[in-house]
Amino acid sequence: MIQLTREAIDYHSISEAVRDPHHGAVVLFLGTVRDLTGEDRTLRLEYEAYEPMAKKKLQEILTQVQQQWPGAKVAIVHRLGVLDVGEVSVAVAVSTPHRAEAFAACRYVMEAIKADVPIWKKDINPEGKEQWVHPEEKTGSPATTAGSLQ
Amino acid sequence: MIQLTREAIDYHSISEAVRDPHHGAVVLFLGTVRDLTGEDRTLRLEYEAYEPMAKKKLQEILTQVQQQWPGAKVAIVHRLGVLDVGEVSVAVAVSTPHRAEAFAACRYVMEAIKADVPIWKKDINPEGKEQWVHPEEKTGSPATTAGSLQ
Amino acid sequence: MTQVLVHLRLFAVFRDTLGADLIPVELPAGSTVADLRQALYCRWPTLRNLLERSAIAINQEYASDNHVLSSGDEAALIPPVSGGQPFSPIP
Amino acid sequence: MTQVLVHLRLFAVFRDTLGADLIPVELPAGSTVADLRQALYCRWPTLRNLLERSAIAINQEYASDNHVLSSGDEAALIPPVSGGQPFSPIP
């Protein structure tokens, strides 16, 4: 299950959605808006996506998870728009028969989202200064995604 | 926060309890009762603890987490008594500033619980056969816990 | 036809800085993603550093430099995604 | 005093098999956890394999074989815990 939403994420329903009588482990990850990055204060974050491509990339991540952990149940919801400190920006729930795979698959999904899915955030500080967060690493570069490019 | 309970675990409240405006990551693990182990069917599990020692060991795990990941917020709840397939037997929620530590600390807690906390389960199959689950590995042996023994 | 026209979507810092979310770019027929990059470097020299760190997607897929453009392609300039702390290796 | 009396708590398979949750064990003064183990092996020879895989806790702490017992100690026989699948190394 994949969703981009402008509403608060009901993460409880997401973890319920992946539960399965054959599966003994559920791992839920929540990304939440932090008020401090080093010494810099954050008042709000604004998330923006290239929506059709983001959905396509998230779907590819689900496919990759199925290849590595067949039968895993996965739900991914990412929030868009303006979020206050403490709000949930992304929720990923995974269930598998045993715990090692549930941790590994949930972690895999989060790293893949952060590396490849076109969703950006703008940091708004208490003084009203706005700044897009674009880390030094290059996104989706041939160097990191060459395998899927040609 | 540590709890042994004979009631259904309200895991949503546990993940809420560890949320923190300084923390950008929450990882929740749920252990649930699986209906199949290999080809063996499970109808119910019964969990039993050496309660005062289990609480003491869980408290030690919290201390170890604070040493490795200072400031992490952690909640551990383990269910005791008879559980049906699909029910949650253990819930561990961790929050930290960044996701890598939240995954690592939650995983650490689960491995430590499974290795060292005196809680046992009895498997009851659909034919009514009951069997305590005591894996081949030795629990709390000097070989694995020597560091804390002498 | 000796020209190829692509519509380039802009997001985040590019959209805010350039004040547009879609701009048309005309290039000679047979141009590649590398040629599109060069055209963007010439058009917005002050954004070169960020452009170099950005990916280009063609029809919602990350495209390599030697990808040949077609008229009507949906192109998008993808600045580095939010990332969080530097990625640790997946265990 | 030449004897030490410990109260041994039983759980899970031991409690079910032996039909008791607390049994007194008398040993010579100065006995260690290793001596307690030997006494249990002698008393319940058919459970030896499981006893060997079990830990002994003294006053709610895992005890090494050379730990010397005191009268009134709360001892517990801890069969292997539920575990789940074999532990993979913590990343």
Side-chain angles (χ1 to χ4, degrees), chain D residues 43-69:
Chain D
R43 194 148 161 184
W44 303 315
T46 59
L47 297 178
R48 177 155 187 148
N49 175 278
L50 190 63
L51 285 165
E52 285 180 346
R53 293 192 289 118
S54 300
I56 287 176
I58 302 296
N59 300 327
Q60 301 171 16
E61 196 54 66
Y62 292 114
S64 58
D65 278 354
N66 58 9
H67 181 99
V68 176
L69 300 167

PDB file of all heavy atoms in Angstrom, chain D residues 43-69:
ATOM      1  N   ARG D  43      19.338 -35.783  41.076  1.00  0.00           N
ATOM      2  CA  ARG D  43      17.939 -35.919  41.466  1.00  0.00           C
ATOM      3  C   ARG D  43      17.047 -36.208  40.266  1.00  0.00           C
ATOM      4  O   ARG D  43      16.071 -36.934  40.379  1.00  0.00           O
ATOM      5  CB  ARG D  43      17.541 -34.586  42.112  1.00  0.00           C
ATOM      6  CG  ARG D  43      16.263 -34.594  42.883  1.00  0.00           C
ATOM      7  CD  ARG D  43      16.421 -33.595  44.012  1.00  0.00           C
ATOM      8  NE  ARG D  43      15.191 -33.141  44.585  1.00  0.00           N
ATOM      9  CZ  ARG D  43      15.138 -32.203  45.539  1.00  0.00           C
ATOM     10  NH1 ARG D  43      16.254 -31.635  45.984  1.00  0.00           N
ATOM     11  NH2 ARG D  43      13.991 -31.849  46.050  1.00  0.00           N
ATOM     12  N   TRP D  44      17.342 -35.579  39.134  1.00  0.00           N
ATOM     13  CA  TRP D  44      16.480 -35.726  37.946  1.00  0.00           C
ATOM     14  C   TRP D  44      17.323 -36.137  36.730  1.00  0.00           C
ATOM     15  O   TRP D  44      17.479 -35.355  35.775  1.00  0.00           O
ATOM     16  CB  TRP D  44      15.777 -34.400  37.639  1.00  0.00           C
ATOM     17  CG  TRP D  44      14.965 -33.863  38.779  1.00  0.00           C
ATOM     18  CD1 TRP D  44      14.095 -34.548  39.579  1.00  0.00           C
ATOM     19  CD2 TRP D  44      14.950 -32.506  39.245  1.00  0.00           C
ATOM     20  NE1 TRP D  44      13.529 -33.713  40.512  1.00  0.00           N
ATOM     21  CE2 TRP D  44      14.036 -32.436  40.323  1.00  0.00           C
ATOM     22  CE3 TRP D  44      15.605 -31.336  38.846  1.00  0.00           C
ATOM     23  CZ2 TRP D  44      13.777 -31.259  41.019  1.00  0.00           C
ATOM     24  CZ3 TRP D  44      15.347 -30.174  39.530  1.00  0.00           C
ATOM     25  CH2 TRP D  44      14.438 -30.136  40.611  1.00  0.00           C
ATOM     26  N   PRO D  45      17.849 -37.341  36.756  1.00  0.00           N
ATOM     27  CA  PRO D  45      18.768 -37.740  35.671  1.00  0.00           C
ATOM     28  C   PRO D  45      18.123 -37.667  34.280  1.00  0.00           C
ATOM     29  O   PRO D  45      18.801 -37.362  33.302  1.00  0.00           O
ATOM     30  CB  PRO D  45      19.142 -39.177  36.043  1.00  0.00           C
ATOM     31  CG  PRO D  45      18.162 -39.623  37.080  1.00  0.00           C
ATOM     32  CD  PRO D  45      17.671 -38.397  37.761  1.00  0.00           C
ATOM     33  N   THR D  46      16.822 -37.866  34.199  1.00  0.00           N
ATOM     34  CA  THR D  46      16.196 -37.845  32.863  1.00  0.00           C
ATOM     35  C   THR D  46      16.099 -36.427  32.297  1.00  0.00           C
ATOM     36  O   THR D  46      15.855 -36.253  31.109  1.00  0.00           O
ATOM     37  CB  THR D  46      14.766 -38.437  32.899  1.00  0.00           C
ATOM     38  OG1 THR D  46      13.983 -37.669  33.826  1.00  0.00           O
ATOM     39  CG2 THR D  46      14.798 -39.893  33.361  1.00  0.00           C
ATOM     40  N   LEU D  47      16.291 -35.435  33.139  1.00  0.00           N
ATOM     41  CA  LEU D  47      16.209 -34.040  32.658  1.00  0.00           C
ATOM     42  C   LEU D  47      17.593 -33.445  32.406  1.00  0.00           C
ATOM     43  O   LEU D  47      17.722 -32.246  32.162  1.00  0.00           O
ATOM     44  CB  LEU D  47      15.459 -33.174  33.680  1.00  0.00           C
ATOM     45  CG  LEU D  47      14.001 -33.550  33.933  1.00  0.00           C
ATOM     46  CD1 LEU D  47      13.406 -32.642  35.005  1.00  0.00           C
ATOM     47  CD2 LEU D  47      13.182 -33.434  32.650  1.00  0.00           C
ATOM     48  N   ARG D  48      18.617 -34.304  32.461  1.00  0.00           N
ATOM     49  CA  ARG D  48      19.985 -33.769  32.431  1.00  0.00           C
ATOM     50  C   ARG D  48      20.257 -32.888  31.215  1.00  0.00           C
ATOM     51  O   ARG D  48      20.849 -31.815  31.338  1.00  0.00           O
ATOM     52  CB  ARG D  48      20.998 -34.919  32.485  1.00  0.00           C
ATOM     53  CG  ARG D  48      22.415 -34.399  32.382  1.00  0.00           C
ATOM     54  CD  ARG D  48      23.426 -35.311  32.996  1.00  0.00           C
ATOM     55  NE  ARG D  48      24.714 -34.645  32.976  1.00  0.00           N
ATOM     56  CZ  ARG D  48      25.650 -34.815  33.878  1.00  0.00           C
ATOM     57  NH1 ARG D  48      25.460 -35.662  34.883  1.00  0.00           N
ATOM     58  NH2 ARG D  48      26.796 -34.173  33.786  1.00  0.00           N
ATOM     59  N   ASN D  49      19.827 -33.346  30.043  1.00  0.00           N
ATOM     60  CA  ASN D  49      20.110 -32.550  28.834  1.00  0.00           C
ATOM     61  C   ASN D  49      19.529 -31.134  28.959  1.00  0.00           C
ATOM     62  O   ASN D  49      20.209 -30.131  28.696  1.00  0.00           O
ATOM     63  CB  ASN D  49      19.542 -33.258  27.599  1.00  0.00           C
ATOM     64  CG  ASN D  49      19.696 -32.406  26.342  1.00  0.00           C
ATOM     65  OD1 ASN D  49      18.892 -31.520  26.080  1.00  0.00           O
ATOM     66  ND2 ASN D  49      20.757 -32.656  25.594  1.00  0.00           N
ATOM     67  N   LEU D  50      18.283 -31.056  29.402  1.00  0.00           N
ATOM     68  CA  LEU D  50      17.652 -29.735  29.542  1.00  0.00           C
ATOM     69  C   LEU D  50      18.303 -28.933  30.674  1.00  0.00           C
ATOM     70  O   LEU D  50      18.488 -27.710  30.554  1.00  0.00           O
ATOM     71  CB  LEU D  50      16.153 -29.907  29.797  1.00  0.00           C
ATOM     72  CG  LEU D  50      15.325 -28.631  29.717  1.00  0.00           C
ATOM     73  CD1 LEU D  50      15.369 -28.030  28.310  1.00  0.00           C
ATOM     74  CD2 LEU D  50      13.873 -28.898  30.112  1.00  0.00           C
ATOM     75  N   LEU D  51      18.669 -29.635  31.762  1.00  0.00           N
ATOM     76  CA  LEU D  51      19.351 -28.938  32.866  1.00  0.00           C
ATOM     77  C   LEU D  51      20.667 -28.322  32.386  1.00  0.00           C
ATOM     78  O   LEU D  51      21.014 -27.191  32.750  1.00  0.00           O
ATOM     79  CB  LEU D  51      19.626 -29.912  34.022  1.00  0.00           C
ATOM     80  CG  LEU D  51      18.408 -30.288  34.875  1.00  0.00           C
ATOM     81  CD1 LEU D  51      18.716 -31.518  35.729  1.00  0.00           C
ATOM     82  CD2 LEU D  51      17.980 -29.110  35.762  1.00  0.00           C
ATOM     83  N   GLU D  52      21.379 -29.063  31.559  1.00  0.00           N
ATOM     84  CA  GLU D  52      22.674 -28.547  31.075  1.00  0.00           C
ATOM     85  C   GLU D  52      22.490 -27.302  30.215  1.00  0.00           C
ATOM     86  O   GLU D  52      23.370 -26.446  30.166  1.00  0.00           O
ATOM     87  CB  GLU D  52      23.419 -29.628  30.281  1.00  0.00           C
ATOM     88  CG  GLU D  52      24.023 -30.703  31.186  1.00  0.00           C
ATOM     89  CD  GLU D  52      24.766 -31.788  30.422  1.00  0.00           C
ATOM     90  OE1 GLU D  52      24.597 -31.863  29.180  1.00  0.00           O
ATOM     91  OE2 GLU D  52      25.498 -32.552  31.075  1.00  0.00           O
ATOM     92  N   ARG D  53      21.346 -27.206  29.544  1.00  0.00           N
ATOM     93  CA  ARG D  53      21.104 -26.040  28.697  1.00  0.00           C
ATOM     94  C   ARG D  53      20.437 -24.906  29.470  1.00  0.00           C
ATOM     95  O   ARG D  53      20.157 -23.842  28.910  1.00  0.00           O
ATOM     96  CB  ARG D  53      20.233 -26.430  27.498  1.00  0.00           C
ATOM     97  CG  ARG D  53      20.952 -27.372  26.538  1.00  0.00           C
ATOM     98  CD  ARG D  53      20.210 -27.519  25.220  1.00  0.00           C
ATOM     99  NE  ARG D  53      18.973 -28.274  25.361  1.00  0.00           N
ATOM    100  CZ  ARG D  53      17.762 -27.785  25.108  1.00  0.00           C
ATOM    101  NH1 ARG D  53      17.615 -26.529  24.743  1.00  0.00           N
ATOM    102  NH2 ARG D  53      16.699 -28.538  25.224  1.00  0.00           N
ATOM    103  N   SER D  54      20.177 -25.124  30.738  1.00  0.00           N
ATOM    104  CA  SER D  54      19.496 -24.105  31.534  1.00  0.00           C
ATOM    105  C   SER D  54      20.500 -23.292  32.358  1.00  0.00           C
ATOM    106  O   SER D  54      21.572 -23.779  32.696  1.00  0.00           O
ATOM    107  CB  SER D  54      18.486 -24.767  32.479  1.00  0.00           C
ATOM    108  OG  SER D  54      17.520 -25.478  31.733  1.00  0.00           O
ATOM    109  N   ALA D  55      20.104 -22.067  32.646  1.00  0.00           N
ATOM    110  CA  ALA D  55      20.918 -21.220  33.519  1.00  0.00           C
ATOM    111  C   ALA D  55      20.394 -21.341  34.948  1.00  0.00           C
ATOM    112  O   ALA D  55      19.266 -21.800  35.181  1.00  0.00           O
ATOM    113  CB  ALA D  55      20.838 -19.773  33.057  1.00  0.00           C
ATOM    114  N   ILE D  56      21.237 -20.944  35.888  1.00  0.00           N
ATOM    115  CA  ILE D  56      20.773 -20.847  37.266  1.00  0.00           C
ATOM    116  C   ILE D  56      20.916 -19.387  37.697  1.00  0.00           C
ATOM    117  O   ILE D  56      21.961 -18.761  37.466  1.00  0.00           O
ATOM    118  CB  ILE D  56      21.557 -21.801  38.182  1.00  0.00           C
ATOM    119  CG1 ILE D  56      21.077 -23.237  37.882  1.00  0.00           C
ATOM    120  CG2 ILE D  56      21.374 -21.436  39.653  1.00  0.00           C
ATOM    121  CD1 ILE D  56      21.793 -24.310  38.623  1.00  0.00           C
ATOM    122  N   ALA D  57      19.829 -18.863  38.225  1.00  0.00           N
ATOM    123  CA  ALA D  57      19.869 -17.484  38.726  1.00  0.00           C
ATOM    124  C   ALA D  57      19.878 -17.530  40.248  1.00  0.00           C
ATOM    125  O   ALA D  57      19.185 -18.351  40.863  1.00  0.00           O
ATOM    126  CB  ALA D  57      18.652 -16.705  38.230  1.00  0.00           C
ATOM    127  N   ILE D  58      20.696 -16.681  40.832  1.00  0.00           N
ATOM    128  CA  ILE D  58      20.713 -16.532  42.287  1.00  0.00           C
ATOM    129  C   ILE D  58      20.307 -15.094  42.587  1.00  0.00           C
ATOM    130  O   ILE D  58      20.922 -14.144  42.077  1.00  0.00           O
ATOM    131  CB  ILE D  58      22.123 -16.806  42.863  1.00  0.00           C
ATOM    132  CG1 ILE D  58      22.593 -18.221  42.477  1.00  0.00           C
ATOM    133  CG2 ILE D  58      22.134 -16.608  44.387  1.00  0.00           C
ATOM    134  CD1 ILE D  58      21.763 -19.353  43.054  1.00  0.00           C
ATOM    135  N   ASN D  59      19.272 -14.949  43.375  1.00  0.00           N
ATOM    136  CA  ASN D  59      18.757 -13.628  43.709  1.00  0.00           C
ATOM    137  C   ASN D  59      18.523 -12.779  42.454  1.00  0.00           C
ATOM    138  O   ASN D  59      18.931 -11.625  42.363  1.00  0.00           O
ATOM    139  CB  ASN D  59      19.681 -12.925  44.715  1.00  0.00           C
ATOM    140  CG  ASN D  59      19.795 -13.742  45.997  1.00  0.00           C
ATOM    141  OD1 ASN D  59      18.845 -14.417  46.415  1.00  0.00           O
ATOM    142  ND2 ASN D  59      20.987 -13.742  46.598  1.00  0.00           N
ATOM    143  N   GLN D  60      17.884 -13.431  41.482  1.00  0.00           N
ATOM    144  CA  GLN D  60      17.446 -12.765  40.249  1.00  0.00           C
ATOM    145  C   GLN D  60      18.590 -12.259  39.371  1.00  0.00           C
ATOM    146  O   GLN D  60      18.460 -11.253  38.663  1.00  0.00           O
ATOM    147  CB  GLN D  60      16.466 -11.627  40.583  1.00  0.00           C
ATOM    148  CG  GLN D  60      15.246 -12.163  41.331  1.00  0.00           C
ATOM    149  CD  GLN D  60      14.363 -11.073  41.862  1.00  0.00           C
ATOM    150  OE1 GLN D  60      14.457  -9.931  41.465  1.00  0.00           O
ATOM    151  NE2 GLN D  60      13.477 -11.435  42.792  1.00  0.00           N
ATOM    152  N   GLU D  61      19.728 -12.958  39.463  1.00  0.00           N
ATOM    153  CA  GLU D  61      20.855 -12.623  38.582  1.00  0.00           C
ATOM    154  C   GLU D  61      21.476 -13.924  38.105  1.00  0.00           C
ATOM    155  O   GLU D  61      21.647 -14.856  38.892  1.00  0.00           O
ATOM    156  CB  GLU D  61      21.890 -11.801  39.370  1.00  0.00           C
ATOM    157  CG  GLU D  61      22.892 -11.085  38.502  1.00  0.00           C
ATOM    158  CD  GLU D  61      22.219 -10.212  37.443  1.00  0.00           C
ATOM    159  OE1 GLU D  61      21.549  -9.227  37.798  1.00  0.00           O
ATOM    160  OE2 GLU D  61      22.354 -10.562  36.260  1.00  0.00           O
ATOM    161  N   TYR D  62      21.792 -13.993  36.788  1.00  0.00           N
ATOM    162  CA  TYR D  62      22.448 -15.203  36.280  1.00  0.00           C
ATOM    163  C   TYR D  62      23.748 -15.419  37.054  1.00  0.00           C
ATOM    164  O   TYR D  62      24.534 -14.489  37.245  1.00  0.00           O
ATOM    165  CB  TYR D  62      22.747 -15.077  34.783  1.00  0.00           C
ATOM    166  CG  TYR D  62      21.494 -15.073  33.940  1.00  0.00           C
ATOM    167  CD1 TYR D  62      21.118 -13.942  33.227  1.00  0.00           C
ATOM    168  CD2 TYR D  62      20.672 -16.192  33.881  1.00  0.00           C
ATOM    169  CE1 TYR D  62      19.954 -13.926  32.462  1.00  0.00           C
ATOM    170  CE2 TYR D  62      19.504 -16.192  33.119  1.00  0.00           C
ATOM    171  CZ  TYR D  62      19.145 -15.061  32.417  1.00  0.00           C
ATOM    172  OH  TYR D  62      17.995 -15.056  31.679  1.00  0.00           O
ATOM    173  N   ALA D  63      23.964 -16.648  37.510  1.00  0.00           N
ATOM    174  CA  ALA D  63      25.116 -16.933  38.372  1.00  0.00           C
ATOM    175  C   ALA D  63      26.092 -17.851  37.654  1.00  0.00           C
ATOM    176  O   ALA D  63      25.698 -18.758  36.923  1.00  0.00           O
ATOM    177  CB  ALA D  63      24.647 -17.591  39.664  1.00  0.00           C
ATOM    178  N   SER D  64      27.370 -17.593  37.862  1.00  0.00           N
ATOM    179  CA  SER D  64      28.386 -18.477  37.293  1.00  0.00           C
ATOM    180  C   SER D  64      28.564 -19.693  38.207  1.00  0.00           C
ATOM    181  O   SER D  64      28.131 -19.693  39.371  1.00  0.00           O
ATOM    182  CB  SER D  64      29.704 -17.723  37.136  1.00  0.00           C
ATOM    183  OG  SER D  64      30.106 -17.233  38.389  1.00  0.00           O
ATOM    184  N   ASP D  65      29.208 -20.745  37.648  1.00  0.00           N
ATOM    185  CA  ASP D  65      29.329 -22.017  38.380  1.00  0.00           C
ATOM    186  C   ASP D  65      30.059 -21.864  39.716  1.00  0.00           C
ATOM    187  O   ASP D  65      29.791 -22.600  40.664  1.00  0.00           O
ATOM    188  CB  ASP D  65      30.070 -23.050  37.514  1.00  0.00           C
ATOM    189  CG  ASP D  65      29.127 -23.706  36.511  1.00  0.00           C
ATOM    190  OD1 ASP D  65      27.901 -23.444  36.567  1.00  0.00           O
ATOM    191  OD2 ASP D  65      29.624 -24.466  35.665  1.00  0.00           O
ATOM    192  N   ASN D  66      30.989 -20.918  39.800  1.00  0.00           N
ATOM    193  CA  ASN D  66      31.778 -20.799  41.039  1.00  0.00           C
ATOM    194  C   ASN D  66      31.138 -19.881  42.092  1.00  0.00           C
ATOM    195  O   ASN D  66      31.740 -19.611  43.139  1.00  0.00           O
ATOM    196  CB  ASN D  66      33.217 -20.358  40.731  1.00  0.00           C
ATOM    197  CG  ASN D  66      33.242 -19.041  39.980  1.00  0.00           C
ATOM    198  OD1 ASN D  66      32.198 -18.383  39.845  1.00  0.00           O
ATOM    199  ND2 ASN D  66      34.406 -18.660  39.485  1.00  0.00           N
ATOM    200  N   HIS D  67      29.946 -19.431  41.832  1.00  0.00           N
ATOM    201  CA  HIS D  67      29.207 -18.609  42.814  1.00  0.00           C
ATOM    202  C   HIS D  67      28.884 -19.460  44.050  1.00  0.00           C
ATOM    203  O   HIS D  67      28.326 -20.548  43.931  1.00  0.00           O
ATOM    204  CB  HIS D  67      27.924 -18.102  42.159  1.00  0.00           C
ATOM    205  CG  HIS D  67      27.091 -17.223  43.040  1.00  0.00           C
ATOM    206  ND1 HIS D  67      27.105 -15.846  42.962  1.00  0.00           N
ATOM    207  CD2 HIS D  67      26.211 -17.530  44.038  1.00  0.00           C
ATOM    208  CE1 HIS D  67      26.272 -15.346  43.851  1.00  0.00           C
ATOM    209  NE2 HIS D  67      25.714 -16.343  44.527  1.00  0.00           N
ATOM    210  N   VAL D  68      29.219 -18.953  45.224  1.00  0.00           N
ATOM    211  CA  VAL D  68      28.984 -19.708  46.472  1.00  0.00           C
ATOM    212  C   VAL D  68      27.587 -19.391  47.007  1.00  0.00           C
ATOM    213  O   VAL D  68      27.196 -18.219  47.099  1.00  0.00           O
ATOM    214  CB  VAL D  68      30.063 -19.350  47.520  1.00  0.00           C
ATOM    215  CG1 VAL D  68      29.767 -20.067  48.846  1.00  0.00           C
ATOM    216  CG2 VAL D  68      31.450 -19.735  47.003  1.00  0.00           C
ATOM    217  N   LEU D  69      26.863 -20.445  47.340  1.00  0.00           N
ATOM    218  CA  LEU D  69      25.482 -20.284  47.791  1.00  0.00           C
ATOM    219  C   LEU D  69      25.402 -19.906  49.265  1.00  0.00           C
ATOM    220  O   LEU D  69      26.244 -20.323  50.066  1.00  0.00           O
ATOM    221  CB  LEU D  69      24.735 -21.610  47.575  1.00  0.00           C
ATOM    222  CG  LEU D  69      24.683 -22.078  46.116  1.00  0.00           C
ATOM    223  CD1 LEU D  69      24.209 -23.529  46.032  1.00  0.00           C
ATOM    224  CD2 LEU D  69      23.785 -21.165  45.298  1.00  0.00           C
TER     225      LEU D  69
END
